Amino acid sequence: MSSKEYILVTGGAGYIGSHTVIELINNGYDVIIVDNLCNSNYDSVARVEYIVKKPVKFYDVDLRDTAKLSEVFSTHKIKGVIHFAALKAVGESTKIPLEYYDNNVNGTISLLTVMKNHGVKTIVFSSSATVYGDATRFENMIPIPEHCPNDPTNPYGKTKYMIENIIKDIHGSDNSWKAAILRYFNPIGAHPSGLIGEDPLGIPNNLLPFLAQVAIGKREKLFVFGNDYNSHDGTPIRDYIHVVDLAKGHIAALNYLRNLNERDGLYREWNLGTGKGSTVFDVYNAFCKAVGEKLPFEVVGRRDGDVLDLTANPTRANSELNWKAELSIDEACRDLWKWTTENPSGFRIENYQWKLFNDSKRVDYDSRLHTVRVKDLEVSFANYGALIQCIKYKNKALINCFCGIEKYKSPSNPLFGSTVGRYANRISNGEISLGGQIFKLDKNENNRNTLHGGANGFHRQTFLGPVVKGHDSCITVEFTLLDKDGNGRFPADLVTTVKYSVRSNSIDVEYESSIDEGSRAEETAVNLTNHTYWNLGEEKTIDGTYLKTASNEYLEVDSASLLPTGSFAEYPKDLTKGVTLTNDIKLDNCFVVSKSIQSIDTRQETLKQVAELSNSTTGIHLKVRTTEPSFQIYTSDQTNISPFGSRSGISFEPCRFIDAINSKEFANQVTLKKGKVYGSKTSFEIS
Amino acid sequence: MSSKEYILVTGGAGYIGSHTVIELINNGYDVIIVDNLCNSNYDSVARVEYIVKKPVKFYDVDLRDTAKLSEVFSTHKIKGVIHFAALKAVGESTKIPLEYYDNNVNGTISLLTVMKNHGVKTIVFSSSATVYGDATRFENMIPIPEHCPNDPTNPYGKTKYMIENIIKDIHGSDNSWKAAILRYFNPIGAHPSGLIGEDPLGIPNNLLPFLAQVAIGKREKLFVFGNDYNSHDGTPIRDYIHVVDLAKGHIAALNYLRNLNERDGLYREWNLGTGKGSTVFDVYNAFCKAVGEKLPFEVVGRRDGDVLDLTANPTRANSELNWKAELSIDEACRDLWKWTTENPSGFRIENYQWKLFNDSKRVDYDSRLHTVRVKDLEVSFANYGALIQCIKYKNKALINCFCGIEKYKSPSNPLFGSTVGRYANRISNGEISLGGQIFKLDKNENNRNTLHGGANGFHRQTFLGPVVKGHDSCITVEFTLLDKDGNGRFPADLVTTVKYSVRSNSIDVEYESSIDEGSRAEETAVNLTNHTYWNLGEEKTIDGTYLKTASNEYLEVDSASLLPTGSFAEYPKDLTKGVTLTNDIKLDNCFVVSKSIQSIDTRQETLKQVAELSNSTTGIHLKVRTTEPSFQIYTSDQTNISPFGSRSGISFEPCRFIDAINSKEFANQVTLKKGKVYGSKTSFEIS
């Protein structure tokens, strides 16, 4: 067991759970998520990792599986638990109460038993204001204080009430337990990044998710249940709290518990609400403002059990936890709208699937294989090296690939499909000079040069994410990587995103890198490309395939060092006129598109076609366009990894000039300063 | 699956459960008991069977083992469930609440899930008045009506409260469920038979069990918690209900549910109480009266949470269920005292153990092997044939036996250790005449005579029980059997008990038979004995063992039919002088003790020594005493069942004269009339 101490978050893949995990990590906690995904999606975890730029341990475990859960506690040092996992739909709970009691109550008893057995006695429990029931049944209980008697009116609320009591009694039996009961009011909004938010299945029964679906045309109109209440506009008053504020409340509670003396236990309830009530119409108006249009609604009769006002009294949390809701309904609506428009169908993207992509012995969610399909084009991507594992056009594979991850990790893998970075191609003598400082990099090419970013280059790292988004005709898949200062002895923490856009007949690859704000170093060298090997034909080799390039001029290299001599040369056979590849055309050259670039972010340039490839047998045609000043072509004459041999594929690697960093003339292509953005774009068009 | 419909009783081995099972069976229900025995004892089930003279299906299943429980529901047709299974000690529940929630709440959720999956929607739930908490917190809530708001004050009470709510919500989600919630007040007393009752582990925290332990000297004195309450004697008032009344309440509720229309579901609570409050001193005095002496007590301070009066308002149950508590506190005390004195250590008898005695493939609790030990004497008994399986004196086996039950069931088993009945030995031509009526019995001896009660004689039947009781120097083991009218074509339902009394140097065998009240036939023939084969030596045969009898006169039999000729004969070698057994002394003779008996219940006679046996090698000496008029001696010359051969043992079978039923002179020995009792006693003394 590693000495690392974790906070275990049950239901961490859910709406509030995922937002809380982000706050935990932002506050320096290490997190383990346990979720049975029965009502959530692993993609929210992947997106959390994308946001925090860190992997997060995940276990697909049902809390009721006491044995499996116990294993997690035995494998890791857990110092506390935040317990979200629960079914949470009030309406549904009245239809299938047994499932609610089983999932919520049994699940918790199992969790508490495992915690007890492992001596973990710190818990923050996700409770709900529903435990109060109708607080208006009393005099002066609005805004609702924690001492308001409990009387939940539906099975969902009862499960929360029961669990509170179970935890209370455990503390009663052993007062060294530290338990924070957080009673939520109405969580709304989403993460400002627009990457995670509430993803309700079926018809949402909360105001804002419903309204959001009206806004994107999924629902015809909003139903307002009664406008004859005694409020300023006649609609009932609730306490809406931004989910990010709510998430922060958990950190406040957890810190509060951890600051108690080791021996002092505690059982205490805290309301998490704003203390400010808003009517249905207040919220409606705020959301319409965010959307920029008046959304249709209809006032219908009151709903059973609805009452005028259920606003929280949050003063206990304000004073004791030193926590306060800070975000407004307007901000919540803005964030919800961003989440909704950028993810109209939540985490469920049509024509996107993923599976684990690692040796079956161990389950590692960080290493997955993602497959998207747009009409005839199917493309698979792996987190490992953010690589393109497979491209199928009309079910014909167009690139060299392996089925298992092991071969991708093998030293003799010629970077099939991989992202290449932080510095593609060679750096002479493994030395760069930045801001007058010399950096001696790892020399991973026969102790002479630094090749492809060194031994632990991008192609050897597992990227986070992806964030997958789908529009009718295009699916985008975005990976990210935080490459730490010192990796390969490169300076600066470098954040890179690789964005693939798949359309029915093309795959665009877009790179974006910048130095992390937190980075000490202010400058680094970047040169990114992709190393896919194409074979459009039916044969084992590319010979017989037709190749045409936009340029016949390439960077002359020293045959020994393979480094540029500084001068340019013309390729003997004029490739611009087109050639049919044969065994004597051995290419491993960097062809020139343009000798100068406007900016280190070439995405401002127009895409230029630099090469085309076609095969008469299959009739498949590939066009390569890029914003880059040069492109390496390699006919894989050295490839030797079964079943692939010499000349089994041809790769086009749009990039910056080889060793540009060491050339006064071209260094600007690859020198990235803090605050600036490195970028490039390449498009592979298939027909 | 058989078409038989069962009521499944969870926790049926417990205090209230076992009493309810008896009432169910008395009301014609077939019962399956499910119990994990975590806080109860299978012996209570055995005693229930003993009382009702019927086997009761039993499954040792923990309700939380959903798979195993589901199997029970798949194997049998269940028409309803009475749910007792729960941990129930208030004090303990505050110390180990998690175990209480797990056992009680999880267990119930699992049960309800299995019921739902099998379409079983009728449940009677064992709840408690503890759900009301302190009802005195309201005006006019004493006596407590069902509408009194719930507020349990301890984990135990909360589990009951939660379960009520879970069942209520299931009914809410599917109102075809039929649920009766029975809220008990203070169950007291025991079954009038004195065979079952409350068997608390550790220090009882209820008034009467504690008082009972004071009465038998296990506790020094009763503590009365406060005598300054506003009651007639200053002690608090509770509603004490006889457990038999309580049990009957369950039948009333079950019948009520079953009388609803198929489609009409119901969820309803009923108090089960007397409506009459009694003070601590009222109960104390009643119990002292039952015991016949003033028991020591001490008044101490009030107990936290105690209140003046918690009396039930049972009018709803009285009117709707047409049920009323009928037994008084005096009767409860009388029954409790009988139970306590006859079972001072409850079901847990020192030096008594049992194990299953059937082929390992199937678990059958009806067939068990019971071993008791008093000093140097260890004796094992099986339910099958109520047989003596083994007798060990100073760890030396004295009788022929088999380890597994299979051989006992084999046709060539010469009735090792077995009880023989309903009619031991031969009945000539399988015919008897009773009250002028001729009965043609099964002829199971070469189609000529009826031998040992026929093919399905007692030695082929599984007896119920045993009831095991222990006093310092003596442990008694009682089996019972209801032999149905028509078995072997004998007339009349015959109830027989076989009582073994084991002391340090003797085993007494006592038989008692009478015709069941419900029997149509009024007369039958009975002749009972035991068929143990002794071998006091170390050898494979009895030869060399010394034998001496009290009589040398035996009933002469026809060598062909083996039936008495009517005259008596003297055995050639005078056994009264004693002989050393040799191969030429082949005995299979019925020796005469006396030619007339006072009564068919010979237990009124004094025990006469009829035979003694001793072995010089082992120095072990056996004396046979009996109240019977004759005794068969058999030297097992025909025995042939490996590892036992000819002359492997010698049996002494005190009994009535062979074929007495067909002899004018001796018929009175064996003719049993309704209302009369057949009895006999034999003692085997070992030294």
Side-chain angles (χ1 to χ4, degrees):
Chain A
M1 198 189 310
S2 90
S3 66
K4 212 170 189 184
E5 289 194 320
Y6 293 91
I7 297 299
L8 184 137
V9 180
T10 75
Y15 174 42
I16 304 169
S18 55
H19 287 80
T20 302
V21 168
I22 291 175
E23 297 307 322
L24 279 168
I25 292 170
N26 291 345
N27 283 268
Y29 286 102
D30 290 303
V31 175
I32 291 174
I33 292 175
V34 167
D35 199 309
N36 68 359
L37 299 177
C38 77
N39 196 19
S40 56
N41 199 309
Y42 179 77
D43 293 292
S44 71
V45 178
R47 287 178 173 209
V48 164
E49 293 184 322
Y50 188 96
I51 292 167
V52 299
K53 304 271 181 280
K54 259 193 189 177
V56 178
K57 287 196 187 303
F58 173 83
Y59 289 93
D60 180 352
V61 170
D62 188 308
L63 295 185
R64 292 163 295 186
D65 187 340
T66 311
K68 249 175 134 186
L69 185 61
S70 210
E71 235 180 82
V72 178
F73 277 73
S74 307
T75 315
H76 307 285
K77 195 159 185 339
I78 310 293
K79 62 181 167 187
V81 172
I82 303 184
H83 178 33
F84 293 100
L87 298 175
K88 61 172 187 177
V90 168
E92 183 186 56
S93 77
T94 63
K95 294 184 186 63
I96 51 168
L98 206 43
E99 284 78 347
Y100 271 67
Y101 288 111
D102 192 20
N103 201 315
N104 297 8
V105 180
N106 276 11
T108 303
I109 290 171
S110 172
L111 170 65
L112 292 167
T113 305
V114 172
M115 287 176 68
K116 182 158 168 280
N117 295 343
H118 289 80
V120 180
K121 298 182 177 180
T122 299
I123 184 167
V124 175
F125 174 58
S126 155
S127 191
S128 163
T130 52
V131 299
Y132 297 118
D134 172 12
T136 61
R137 69 194 187 281
F138 301 104
E139 297 295 324
N140 330 324
M141 281 289 183
I142 304 297
I144 306 171
E146 286 82 357
H147 64 259
C148 172
N150 294 173
D151 184 18
T153 58
N154 56 69
Y156 162 71
K158 287 184 196 172
T159 64
K160 293 295 180 183
Y161 172 74
M162 289 180 185
I163 294 167
E164 283 193 9
N165 275 276
I166 292 169
I167 297 173
K168 184 192 291 170
D169 289 335
I170 291 176
H171 175 262
S173 71
D174 169 1
N175 57 24
S176 67
W177 277 74
K178 300 176 178 180
I181 306 298
L182 303 183
R183 292 173 175 165
Y184 310 155
F185 281 70
N186 302 50
I188 57 171
H191 194 265
S193 66
L195 288 176
I196 61 169
E198 192 167 10
D199 184 16
L201 297 159
I203 302 171
N205 41 19
N206 296 335
L207 172 57
L208 268 175
F210 194 99
L211 207 43
Q213 292 198 356
V214 172
I216 57 169
K218 264 197 198 167
R219 314 262 158 221
E220 188 200 340
K221 59 186 165 188
L222 172 71
F223 294 99
V224 177
F225 299 102
N227 61 352
D228 54 355
Y229 289 89
N230 178 25
S231 69
H232 73 82
D233 57 23
T235 57
I237 300 164
R238 298 292 179 265
D239 188 329
Y240 298 91
I241 174 169
H242 193 298
V243 64
V244 171
D245 277 332
L246 190 61
K248 287 177 174 163
H250 292 74
I251 316 307
L254 182 63
N255 292 339
Y256 184 87
L257 294 183
R258 303 195 50 240
N259 290 336
L260 297 168
N261 297 336
E262 201 37 68
R263 246 174 274 73
D264 296 353
L266 179 77
Y267 172 88
R268 192 144 173 89
E269 304 92 349
W270 286 284
N271 286 338
L272 294 188
T274 64
K276 274 180 58 274
S278 309
T279 66
V280 172
F281 280 141
D282 292 338
V283 174
Y284 166 83
N285 291 325
F287 191 69
C288 289
K289 196 170 75 192
V291 175
E293 58 173 295
K294 281 276 161 223
L295 298 165
F297 71 87
E298 181 189 346
V299 176
V300 296
R302 288 187 177 201
R303 206 163 36 178
D304 283 2
D306 270 359
V307 294
L308 168 62
D309 187 351
L310 292 176
T311 301
N313 176 344
T315 48
R316 185 190 279 185
N318 298 158
S319 58
E320 293 180 358
L321 302 184
N322 184 21
W323 165 92
K324 205 171 180 328
E326 278 155 355
L327 299 165
S328 67
I329 290 190
D330 288 345
E331 288 163 303
C333 289
R334 177 202 64 203
D335 295 336
L336 173 62
W337 185 230
K338 178 175 168 64
W339 156 251
T340 308
T341 46
E342 296 183 5
N343 308 273
S345 57
F347 295 112
R348 295 174 299 284
I349 308 299
E350 240 184 293
N351 300 316
Y352 161 61
Q353 289 163 331
W354 62 263
K355 58 177 189 173
L356 294 179
F357 192 55
N358 46 47
D359 56 85
S360 51
K361 282 168 274 336
R362 42 187 279 283
V363 174
D364 174 7
Y365 280 82
D366 294 335
S367 177
R368 300 183 297 153
L369 187 68
H370 311 267
T371 301
V372 302
R373 183 178 187 92
V374 181
K375 297 212 180 62
D376 292 335
L377 189 60
E378 183 182 282
V379 189
S380 299
F381 307 94
N383 290 82
Y384 186 71
L387 61 80
I388 303 175
Q389 184 254 356
C390 181
I391 299 174
K392 282 185 180 168
Y393 187 67
K394 299 187 171 166
N395 296 319
K396 194 250 182 258
L398 306 185
I399 68 173
N400 298 347
C401 75
F402 305 120
C403 299
I405 193 169
E406 298 74 8
K407 283 205 160 174
Y408 283 100
K409 293 183 170 176
S410 114
S412 45
N413 165 23
L415 281 62
F416 275 7
S418 221
T419 302
V420 187
R422 113 172 24 185
Y423 198 98
N425 215 316
R426 292 176 179 72
I427 293 175
S428 76
N429 194 31
E431 262 184 40
I432 58 179
S433 145
L434 291 164
Q437 192 182 348
I438 304 276
F439 296 90
K440 295 186 171 303
L441 311 174
D442 289 346
K443 295 178 181 176
N444 59 318
E445 189 178 50
N446 38 49
N447 198 25
R448 188 181 207 168
N449 305 321
T450 299
L451 179 63
H452 293 331
N456 189 35
F458 286 10
H459 62 289
R460 290 299 184 204
Q461 295 192 54
T462 299
F463 282 61
L464 300 172
V467 172
V468 181
K469 295 180 180 177
H471 323 104
D472 18 350
S473 57
C474 174
I475 299 177
T476 61
V477 179
E478 276 179 84
F479 295 95
T480 190
L481 179 71
L482 169 56
D483 189 40
K484 284 295 200 177
D485 186 318
N487 179 27
R489 303 229 198 107
F490 281 96
D493 299 325
L494 185 69
V495 175
T496 302
T497 66
V498 180
K499 177 177 181 180
Y500 295 103
S501 305
V502 178
R503 295 183 179 71
S504 61
N505 67 341
S506 70
I507 304 155
D508 293 355
V509 186
E510 211 174 318
Y511 297 111
E512 183 177 292
S513 284
S514 56
I515 293 175
D516 189 59
E517 288 162 3
S519 172
R520 282 182 300 92
E522 303 264 324
E523 241 179 283
T524 189
V526 181
N527 183 14
L528 305 176
T529 189
N530 173 280
H531 215 306
T532 297
Y533 290 78
W534 300 83
N535 181 346
L536 308 183
E538 305 283 12
E539 304 304 323
K540 275 186 158 330
T541 76
I542 52 174
D543 293 332
T545 304
Y546 174 85
L547 167 70
K548 187 160 179 287
T549 64
S551 158
N552 201 46
E553 184 184 31
Y554 68 95
L555 277 66
E556 185 182 75
V557 295
D558 171 274
S559 57
S561 69
L562 301 172
L563 289 163
T565 60
S567 44
F568 300 94
E570 287 290 328
Y571 192 75
K573 224 181 178 92
D574 185 353
L575 302 178
T576 62
K577 297 207 158 48
V579 295
T580 296
L581 291 170
T582 52
N583 197 8
D584 60 348
I585 305 180
K586 296 185 163 44
L587 293 168
D588 193 3
N589 308 62
C590 184
F591 290 87
V592 177
V593 180
S594 117
K595 294 184 182 159
S596 71
I597 58 175
Q598 314 292 336
S599 141
I600 192 169
D601 184 353
T602 64
R603 288 174 299 176
Q604 297 151 9
E605 316 271 336
T606 54
L607 279 170
K608 297 184 211 65
Q609 177 168 324
V610 292
E612 57 184 299
L613 195 67
S614 63
N615 183 286
S616 50
T617 338
T618 61
I620 293 175
H621 197 88
L622 170 71
K623 287 187 184 143
V624 183
R625 294 198 185 78
T626 185
T627 60
E628 290 290 83
S630 64
F631 58 101
Q632 184 86 11
I633 300 185
Y634 176 45
T635 48
S636 67
D637 299 276
Q638 276 81 52
T639 296
N640 176 18
I641 178 167
S642 93
F644 303 100
S646 172
R647 300 188 67 79
S648 51
I650 178 169
S651 66
F652 303 94
E653 306 150 50
C655 55
R656 312 289 155 105
F657 287 10
I658 305 174
D659 198 24
I661 191 66
N662 288 317
S663 130
K664 292 206 173 25
E665 198 177 349
F666 303 120
N668 68 319
Q669 292 185 357
V670 292
T671 307
L672 178 63
K673 293 193 166 56
K674 201 176 205 174
K676 293 264 175 286
V677 174
Y678 171 103
S680 76
K681 184 173 178 184
T682 295
S683 174
F684 298 99
E685 181 184 319
I686 297 142
S687 58
Chain B
M1 198 191 310
S2 89
S3 65
K4 211 170 187 183
E5 288 193 322
Y6 293 90
I7 298 299
L8 184 137
V9 180
T10 76
Y15 174 42
I16 303 169
S18 56
H19 286 82
T20 302
V21 169
I22 291 175
E23 297 306 321
L24 280 167
I25 291 170
N26 292 344
N27 283 268
Y29 286 102
D30 291 304
V31 175
I32 291 174
I33 292 175
V34 168
D35 199 308
N36 67 358
L37 299 176
C38 77
N39 195 19
S40 56
N41 198 309
Y42 178 79
D43 293 292
S44 72
V45 178
R47 288 178 173 209
V48 164
E49 293 184 322
Y50 188 97
I51 291 167
V52 300
K53 305 268 179 286
K54 259 192 190 177
V56 178
K57 287 196 188 303
F58 173 83
Y59 289 93
D60 180 351
V61 171
D62 188 307
L63 295 185
R64 292 164 294 186
D65 186 340
T66 311
K68 249 177 136 184
L69 184 61
S70 208
E71 235 181 84
V72 177
F73 277 75
S74 308
T75 315
H76 307 284
K77 197 162 186 329
I78 311 292
K79 64 181 167 188
V81 172
I82 303 183
H83 178 33
F84 292 100
L87 299 176
K88 60 171 186 175
V90 169
E92 184 186 53
S93 77
T94 63
K95 294 183 185 60
I96 51 167
L98 205 43
E99 284 79 349
Y100 269 69
Y101 288 111
D102 191 20
N103 200 314
N104 297 7
V105 179
N106 276 11
T108 302
I109 291 171
S110 171
L111 171 66
L112 292 167
T113 305
V114 172
M115 288 176 67
K116 182 158 169 280
N117 295 344
H118 288 80
V120 179
K121 298 182 178 180
T122 299
I123 184 167
V124 175
F125 173 58
S126 157
S127 191
S128 163
T130 52
V131 299
Y132 296 118
D134 172 12
T136 60
R137 68 194 188 279
F138 301 105
E139 296 296 322
N140 327 324
M141 279 290 182
I142 306 295
I144 306 170
E146 286 81 357
H147 64 259
C148 173
N150 294 172
D151 184 17
T153 57
N154 56 68
Y156 163 72
K158 287 183 194 171
T159 65
K160 293 295 180 183
Y161 172 73
M162 289 178 185
I163 294 167
E164 283 193 8
N165 275 277
I166 292 169
I167 297 174
K168 183 192 287 171
D169 289 335
I170 291 175
H171 174 263
S173 70
D174 169 2
N175 57 25
S176 68
W177 276 75
K178 299 175 177 179
I181 306 299
L182 303 183
R183 292 173 176 164
Y184 310 154
F185 281 70
N186 302 49
I188 56 169
H191 195 263
S193 65
L195 290 175
I196 60 169
E198 192 167 10
D199 184 16
L201 297 161
I203 302 171
N205 41 19
N206 295 333
L207 171 58
L208 268 174
F210 195 99
L211 207 43
Q213 293 198 354
V214 173
I216 57 170
K218 263 196 200 169
R219 314 263 159 219
E220 190 200 340
K221 58 186 167 187
L222 172 71
F223 294 99
V224 177
F225 299 101
N227 61 354
D228 54 354
Y229 289 89
N230 178 24
S231 68
H232 74 80
D233 58 21
T235 58
I237 302 164
R238 298 292 179 267
D239 188 329
Y240 298 91
I241 175 170
H242 194 298
V243 64
V244 170
D245 276 331
L246 191 62
K248 287 177 173 163
H250 293 73
I251 315 308
L254 183 62
N255 292 338
Y256 184 87
L257 294 182
R258 302 195 50 240
N259 290 335
L260 297 168
N261 298 333
E262 201 39 66
R263 245 174 276 75
D264 297 352
L266 178 77
Y267 172 87
R268 193 145 173 85
E269 305 92 349
W270 286 284
N271 286 340
L272 295 187
T274 64
K276 274 178 59 276
S278 310
T279 66
V280 172
F281 281 141
D282 292 338
V283 174
Y284 167 81
N285 291 325
F287 191 70
C288 289
K289 197 170 73 191
V291 176
E293 57 173 297
K294 283 276 162 223
L295 298 166
F297 71 88
E298 180 189 347
V299 176
V300 294
R302 288 188 177 201
R303 209 164 34 180
D304 283 3
D306 270 359
V307 295
L308 169 62
D309 187 351
L310 293 176
T311 302
N313 176 344
T315 48
R316 185 191 278 186
N318 298 159
S319 57
E320 293 179 0
L321 303 183
N322 184 22
W323 164 91
K324 205 171 182 329
E326 278 155 354
L327 299 166
S328 67
I329 290 190
D330 288 346
E331 289 163 302
C333 290
R334 178 203 63 203
D335 296 336
L336 172 62
W337 185 231
K338 179 175 167 64
W339 156 252
T340 308
T341 47
E342 296 182 6
N343 308 273
S345 57
F347 296 112
R348 293 175 300 283
I349 309 299
E350 241 184 292
N351 301 316
Y352 161 61
Q353 289 165 329
W354 63 263
K355 58 177 190 173
L356 294 178
F357 192 55
N358 46 50
D359 56 85
S360 52
K361 282 169 273 337
R362 45 188 277 284
V363 174
D364 174 5
Y365 281 82
D366 293 335
S367 178
R368 299 183 298 154
L369 187 67
H370 311 267
T371 301
V372 302
R373 182 177 188 94
V374 181
K375 299 210 177 64
D376 293 336
L377 190 60
E378 183 182 282
V379 190
S380 299
F381 308 95
N383 290 83
Y384 185 72
L387 61 79
I388 303 174
Q389 184 255 356
C390 182
I391 300 174
K392 282 186 180 166
Y393 185 67
K394 299 185 173 169
N395 296 321
K396 182 236 183 274
L398 305 185
I399 67 172
N400 296 348
C401 73
F402 304 120
C403 299
I405 194 169
E406 297 75 11
K407 281 206 161 174
Y408 283 100
K409 293 182 171 175
S410 115
S412 46
N413 165 23
L415 279 62
F416 275 7
S418 223
T419 303
V420 187
R422 116 172 22 182
Y423 198 97
N425 214 315
R426 292 176 179 73
I427 291 174
S428 77
N429 194 31
E431 260 184 38
I432 59 177
S433 147
L434 291 164
Q437 192 183 347
I438 305 277
F439 297 89
K440 297 186 170 306
L441 311 173
D442 290 346
K443 295 178 180 174
N444 59 318
E445 187 178 52
N446 40 48
N447 198 25
R448 188 181 207 167
N449 306 321
T450 299
L451 180 63
H452 295 330
N456 188 35
F458 286 9
H459 61 289
R460 292 299 184 204
Q461 295 192 54
T462 300
F463 282 62
L464 300 172
V467 173
V468 181
K469 295 179 180 176
H471 323 103
D472 16 351
S473 56
C474 174
I475 299 176
T476 61
V477 179
E478 278 180 83
F479 294 95
T480 191
L481 180 69
L482 169 56
D483 189 41
K484 283 295 201 176
D485 185 320
N487 178 26
R489 303 232 197 107
F490 282 94
D493 299 325
L494 184 70
V495 176
T496 302
T497 65
V498 180
K499 177 177 182 181
Y500 294 103
S501 305
V502 178
R503 294 183 179 74
S504 61
N505 65 342
S506 69
I507 303 156
D508 294 355
V509 186
E510 211 173 319
Y511 297 111
E512 184 176 291
S513 284
S514 56
I515 293 174
D516 189 58
E517 287 164 5
S519 171
R520 282 183 299 91
E522 304 262 325
E523 240 178 285
T524 189
V526 181
N527 183 16
L528 305 176
T529 190
N530 173 280
H531 216 306
T532 296
Y533 290 77
W534 299 84
N535 182 346
L536 307 184
E538 306 283 13
E539 304 304 323
K540 274 184 160 329
T541 76
I542 52 175
D543 295 332
T545 304
Y546 174 84
L547 167 69
K548 187 160 180 286
T549 64
S551 158
N552 200 46
E553 184 184 31
Y554 68 94
L555 279 66
E556 184 183 76
V557 295
D558 170 275
S559 57
S561 70
L562 300 173
L563 289 162
T565 59
S567 43
F568 299 93
E570 286 291 328
Y571 191 74
K573 228 182 176 88
D574 186 351
L575 303 178
T576 62
K577 298 208 159 47
V579 295
T580 299
L581 291 171
T582 52
N583 197 8
D584 59 349
I585 304 178
K586 295 185 162 50
L587 293 168
D588 193 2
N589 308 63
C590 183
F591 291 87
V592 178
V593 181
S594 116
K595 293 182 181 158
S596 71
I597 57 173
Q598 313 292 337
S599 142
I600 192 170
D601 186 351
T602 64
R603 287 175 299 175
Q604 296 150 9
E605 318 268 338
T606 52
L607 280 170
K608 297 183 211 66
Q609 177 168 324
V610 294
E612 54 185 301
L613 195 67
S614 62
N615 183 285
S616 51
T617 339
T618 60
I620 293 174
H621 196 90
L622 170 72
K623 287 187 183 144
V624 182
R625 294 198 185 76
T626 186
T627 59
E628 288 290 81
S630 64
F631 58 100
Q632 185 87 11
I633 300 185
Y634 176 44
T635 48
S636 66
D637 299 278
Q638 276 83 49
T639 296
N640 176 18
I641 176 167
S642 91
F644 302 100
S646 172
R647 301 185 68 76
S648 52
I650 179 169
S651 66
F652 304 94
E653 306 151 49
C655 55
R656 314 288 155 103
F657 287 11
I658 304 173
D659 198 25
I661 190 67
N662 287 317
S663 129
K664 294 208 172 20
E665 200 178 348
F666 303 119
N668 67 319
Q669 291 185 356
V670 292
T671 308
L672 177 64
K673 292 192 165 59
K674 201 178 205 172
K676 294 263 173 286
V677 174
Y678 171 102
S680 76
K681 183 171 179 186
T682 296
S683 172
F684 298 99
E685 182 184 318
I686 296 140
S687 58

